Amino acid sequence: MLLTLACGSLFYPGFFVLCAWRLHQKLPQWPVIDCLTFSNRLVSSIQAVLATVSGFTVILNCKDVITDRHWLAREYIWALIPYMTYDLGAMYICYWYRYRGEDKKHTLAIFRNFIKHDRLMLMHHIFILLVLVPITQVLRGERGDFFVGCIFTAEFSTPFVSLGRILILLKQQHTLAYKVNGFLTLATFFTCRILLFPFMYWSYGRQIGVSFLQSPFHIPFMCNVINAVLIAPQLYWFSLLCRKAAQMFDNSPAKKDS
């Protein structure tokens, strides 16, 4: 536990700073904010790959979705804590660099605007740290490793989301690669962040011998509440992705002129 926490606390911010510094050295024409954004997206992708691999490993090794155990279901949480903490800081650093010169804003004003601008993402991160971590590490006891693994796999879409942002930084948003990545982003996001929840209910229902529609009534009420809290922002973000995809594939003259 302590080793995982220490490694994560050193790796994520360390890699972020090192990557941003090297980019700034190699590409001095790039604005600092682009170097920071690129680096943060790269760190997010690395974490997402680790989480996804951990998640699938847990799922494949837990035949009984209620009682089977796998060490990664508990151990990877200790790597997730420093990442979520790092990402909160990295988000603010990127926002501060982007808007620090706008109308000579004071740092406190930038911070207030940051809270407003990214409040949903901030709430998502804080909810994970303050609610999900205690539940997964303490309150659930010795049950449910399979479902923890399922939650890990939600990160499968993150590398595609990050790649889209990186392609924009490289001014490749009009290429075929960007459009293919946009399609993969939608497909993986829908599969691993939205269909994931019906899949967990179906898996639980199959395990205890009830139908998919009956399974929500055979679990604690708070589990349904937490699932609702988790899926709500995913639905909102998916709607934003669909809107961007519609704009990307809309070749009408009006859209091009705008």
Side-chain angles (χ1 to χ4, degrees):
M1 177 189 76
L2 292 178
L3 180 61
T4 305
L5 277 171
C7 289
S9 299
L10 292 173
F11 173 74
Y12 294 123
F15 189 88
F16 171 70
V17 171
L18 179 62
C19 184
W21 176 73
R22 289 297 295 168
L23 279 172
H24 190 59
Q25 292 289 314
K26 293 290 185 181
L27 300 170
Q29 71 275 17
W30 264 30
V32 173
I33 181 58
D34 287 351
C35 296
L36 292 172
T37 302
F38 187 102
S39 302
N40 189 36
R41 294 292 181 173
L42 187 57
V43 173
S44 296
S45 297
I46 293 172
Q47 189 279 143
V49 170
L50 294 174
T52 302
V53 171
S54 299
F56 279 119
T57 301
V58 172
I59 290 170
L60 293 174
N61 284 277
C62 291
K63 304 305 179 185
D64 188 311
V65 305
I66 302 172
T67 60
D68 279 0
R69 308 301 312 282
H70 194 280
W71 64 273
L72 273 173
R74 197 171 293 273
E75 190 65 25
Y76 190 74
I77 295 293
W78 301 119
L80 190 63
I81 293 171
Y83 169 74
M84 287 293 171
T85 306
Y86 144 81
D87 200 41
L88 287 171
M91 286 166 56
Y92 176 68
I93 290 171
C94 291
Y95 190 89
W96 184 83
Y97 263 96
R98 187 177 301 277
Y99 295 104
R100 59 178 176 159
E102 188 175 293
D103 298 328
K104 300 187 181 301
K105 284 184 177 178
H106 191 271
T107 299
L108 185 59
I110 295 176
F111 182 75
R112 285 199 300 263
N113 290 339
F114 168 69
I115 297 295
K116 290 181 181 179
H117 182 267
D118 288 318
R119 59 184 177 274
L120 186 57
M121 185 64 74
L122 292 173
M123 291 172 58
H124 176 261
H125 280 41
I126 292 171
F127 181 81
I128 289 174
L129 289 171
L130 299 184
V131 178
L132 286 191
V133 168
I135 288 174
T136 55
Q137 298 300 75
V138 179
L139 299 179
R140 70 184 176 93
E142 304 295 316
R143 298 156 68 87
D145 282 14
F146 174 88
F147 300 107
V148 175
C150 288
I151 296 299
F152 288 165
T153 63
E155 291 292 321
F156 187 56
S157 63
T158 299
F160 301 102
V161 175
S162 296
L163 180 57
R165 180 59 181 162
I166 289 172
L167 288 172
I168 291 174
L169 289 176
L170 298 174
K171 303 188 186 306
Q172 299 295 308
Q173 60 265 44
H174 302 296
T175 64
L176 178 61
Y178 183 78
K179 292 183 178 181
V180 171
N181 182 72
F183 172 78
L184 292 174
T185 299
L186 285 175
T188 55
F189 197 101
F190 181 72
T191 302
C192 294
R193 287 186 178 245
I194 295 176
L195 289 184
L196 172 70
F197 291 91
F199 170 73
M200 289 194 292
Y201 280 109
W202 174 81
S203 299
Y204 182 78
R206 187 183 63 168
Q207 183 69 53
I208 65 173
V210 300
S211 69
F212 165 72
L213 295 178
Q214 291 174 317
S215 60
F217 303 100
H218 288 76
I219 64 175
F221 175 73
M222 282 307 299
C223 292
N224 290 318
V225 171
I226 290 172
N227 283 336
V229 171
L230 286 174
I231 198 173
Q234 312 305 329
L235 292 170
Y236 172 72
W237 287 324
F238 184 69
S239 70
L240 294 182
L241 289 174
C242 288
R243 194 178 306 168
K244 288 183 179 180
Q247 292 173 352
M248 180 176 64
F249 288 103
D250 188 349
N251 295 319
S252 65
K255 283 288 182 183
K256 288 184 179 179
D257 292 340
S258 62

